[in-house]
Amino acid sequence: MTTTLYTSDHEWLAIDGDVATVGITDYAQQQLGDVVFVELPKVGRSLKKAEAAAVVESVKAASDVYAPISGEVLETNAELAAEPALVNSDAQGKAWFFKLRIADKSELGGLMDEAAYKAHTA
Amino acid sequence: MLARDDQDSLKRTPLHGLHVSLGGKMVPFAGYDMPVQYPAGVLKEHLHTRASAGLFDVSHMGQIALRPKSGKVEDAARALERLVPQDILAIAPGRQRYAQFTNEDGGILDDLMVANFGDHLFLVVNAACKDADEAHLRANLSEDCIVDSLADRALIALQGPKAEAALAKLCAATPAMKFMDSGPHEVAGLACFVSRSGYTGEDGFEISVPAADAERLAKTLLENPDVLPIGLGARDSLRLEAGLCLYGHDIDTATTPVEAALEWSVQKSRRSGGARAGGFPGAEKILAHFDRGASRRRVGLRAEGRAPVREGARLFADEAGGEPIGQVTSGGFGPSLSAPVAMGYVPTPLAALGTKLFAEVRGQHLPLTVAAMPFVKNTYKR
């Protein structure tokens, strides 16, 4: 059973046990426009909450994706690196960025559920 | 985000209402509230322009008539030659030429188009520079010319392989025009100035139209299913692929026309040994650059990877780093090439095609190659 949480920086996290799958929201991809390049963190890297973890670039500009919580990078999405446009077509599905082993579950307390995120972007 | 006060102080072009009704995403640009993209998005807008036809609102640019007090256009041309290193006298009636206003240091104050309309010159200058350009013209040329700001005109660019057919429906004379022809034409019954030119590398036209008629003309052009509205985002990626300079980025008051690799725009008559050599601001430095070379040069850059290399990225000769040798002045993703493209300044010995360089992007040194521009072959109708 997974739970999806959101950050005010427009990232989503699907929580499954002690693993979080992280991506950017559909709202974020709409704001960015056509994504042409994604840079993902190295597997094994230990990320601190709020640290720049990945980069997503549209034709116009580059934007950082911040680690929504602390944790070790377990896996990155090779399909996304090869096909960055997946962010536009399936931001909250196939276009996941990386999976983290959650370092501190208490950090999840500061995140939003779907209803709160919807209110945040309304 | 801008505060409301700032947004309210932004100027609007005569097509502002149309942009909003078309779903344009409006952003501040050169003091104007302008569409950066429409719902199609930058990528599709870019590719549509290369495949079909794109309509751009460039009404924020300055349009100026330079009217000779003598009534003779050659007197206006001779006067303007005091401010630009181009041969203006040689522009035939109905033709236009690319030019630069230079300063005493040989730098570029603005770049512009100059057309000969028979009894006066018609100038198109950059939005951000237009007030300064007009003041510069008035301060220096008022003895010979009336500087007439055509603020009551909009400017619409129609660019791409289907631009000719789209405009031909509204003005039968335009298909016979050649690249850089420019003059008055009736378009859809409106008193327009049409030039066969643009800022995309594609064949196309720029149409100056009275402000009150601009929306009607734009809507008429957009009724053609081949024509889509294109925002500033795609305008920038199109001009970058075409290797065209963006003022304030690739050229400015600190770059001479020679450093900027714009030698082709300075005719022999104004160079050393020419009939009217010099006689423009900064001539000493600019002619020295022609005669003895400049120490740096604007070049095209292609990356090996997929990561865009953007404006401000420092350039290095060695992968290990060391002292930066130059900087990227424009860069991004080229949708038609599906690859990153950039331009920047490097020391002249490193400006040869094929030279390997490195750009610093997020702490890494990414390999680049000095490459010929335009990156995408232009399709001008010469």
Side-chain angles (χ1 to χ4, degrees), chain A residues 30-37 39 42 55 57-62 64 81-82 84-85, chain B residues 25 36-37 40-44 233 237 306-310 331-333 335 361-362 364:
Chain A
Q30 282 178 33
Q31 297 298 310
L32 284 169
D34 303 300
V35 172
V36 297
F37 178 75
E39 188 174 281
K42 288 210 162 57
V55 176
E57 300 207 25
S58 69
V59 180
K60 288 178 305 213
D64 284 318
Chain B
K25 185 175 171 185
V36 67
Q37 64 174 79
V42 177
L43 207 61
K44 285 199 184 76
S237 56
R306 284 187 61 88
V309 177
R310 298 190 187 270
F333 186 80
V361 177
R362 294 181 288 274
Q364 295 176 59

Side-chain angles (χ1 to χ4, degrees), chain B residues 80-97:
Chain B
L80 184 57
E81 286 194 358
R82 300 203 300 264
L83 301 182
V84 303
Q86 278 70 35
D87 187 336
I88 303 299
L89 275 168
I91 304 173
R95 296 285 295 161
Q96 78 173 13
R97 178 165 274 179

Side-chain angles (χ1 to χ4, degrees), chain A residues 46-107:
Chain A
S46 199
L47 292 171
K48 281 201 187 66
K49 184 184 169 178
E51 180 181 1
V55 176
V56 56
E57 300 207 25
S58 69
V59 180
K60 288 178 305 213
S63 310
D64 284 318
V65 176
Y66 300 100
I69 54 171
S70 306
E72 182 195 340
V73 179
L74 297 174
E75 190 183 346
T76 61
N77 187 351
E79 199 190 345
L80 175 65
E83 200 187 337
L86 279 178
V87 175
N88 299 112
S89 59
D90 195 8
Q92 299 189 206
K94 281 186 190 167
W96 60 275
F97 278 52
F98 51 85
K99 295 186 182 188
L100 283 180
R101 185 182 309 285
I102 302 169
D104 177 1
K105 284 222 166 182
S106 74
E107 286 180 355

Side-chain angles (χ1 to χ4, degrees), chain B residues 57 62 92 97-98 104 163 212 214 223 225 237 250 253 260 337-338 372 380:
Chain B
D57 178 14
R97 178 165 274 179
Y98 174 71
E104 291 301 331
E223 277 169 16
S237 56
D250 308 303
T253 52
L337 298 161
S338 205
Y380 306 140

Side-chain angles (χ1 to χ4, degrees), chain B residues 153 184-194 207-211 213 217:
Chain B
R153 299 189 77 86
H185 289 278
E186 264 198 16
V187 180
L190 306 170
C192 294
F193 311 145
V194 181
I207 308 155
S208 167
V209 55
D213 301 318
L217 177 60

